[in-house]
Structures are given as C-alpha cells and as structure tokens.
Amino acid sequence: MPTKLGKTEIRVDRATKKKSVVHHYIKQFAIKDLIEKYNNDNTRPRDKQKIKNELIRRGGVVFKKGDE
C-alpha cells in the first residue's frame, strides 16, 4: 500500500449528490509542501518520519546526522 499523509476524505457534489473518495498519498505532494510540513512544529513525529522517508526516496534532499 502507498503511504498516506492525512485522512481519507469523502467529497459530495452538491448538485448531483455523487460521492467521491479522495486519498492523500504522500507521493502526490510537491517537495516544497513536504519540506514545509516537515518543518512545521505541529506535525506529529510519526508523520515527520514518513515525510523524511519520502524525501530520501525521491532524492535531492540530504539530512545531516543529529537532525530529526
């Protein structure tokens, strides 16, 4: 299963009353957004680890030892 960041959301179209499910997978977020979430003080440590793993997987972002 792909890694999720956030809860699954059900959106209802008010005109047609159709429901659509939206999953927030971490691979769909831009690198800029992930870095912003990582540096936010309100982000849970569990989510920070998910974000860190994704940034390392994509490459281009280097973490020094001793950093979170």
Side-chain angles (χ1 to χ4, degrees):
M1 287 292 297
T3 306
K4 287 174 51 177
L5 187 65
K7 295 191 174 194
T8 298
E9 162 183 355
I10 298 175
R11 293 186 183 167
V12 179
D13 183 7
R14 293 185 179 190
T16 62
K17 305 294 185 210
K18 287 188 178 181
K19 296 179 183 179
S20 59
V21 179
V22 179
H23 301 285
H24 298 286
Y25 295 119
I26 199 164
K27 64 183 179 182
Q28 297 172 337
F29 288 93
I31 291 177
K32 181 180 175 185
D33 294 336
L34 290 175
I35 292 171
E36 199 173 287
K37 284 181 187 275
Y38 185 83
N39 292 327
N40 190 349
D41 292 334
N42 294 331
T43 305
R44 299 183 305 177
R46 175 168 132 184
D47 290 339
K48 283 190 176 194
Q49 185 61 45
K50 287 181 182 182
I51 293 169
K52 185 176 179 180
N53 290 342
E54 178 66 16
L55 291 172
I56 290 170
R57 184 186 72 81
R58 290 188 193 185
V61 178
V62 179
F63 291 91
K64 296 178 184 175
K65 271 197 167 178
D67 287 349
E68 292 182 29

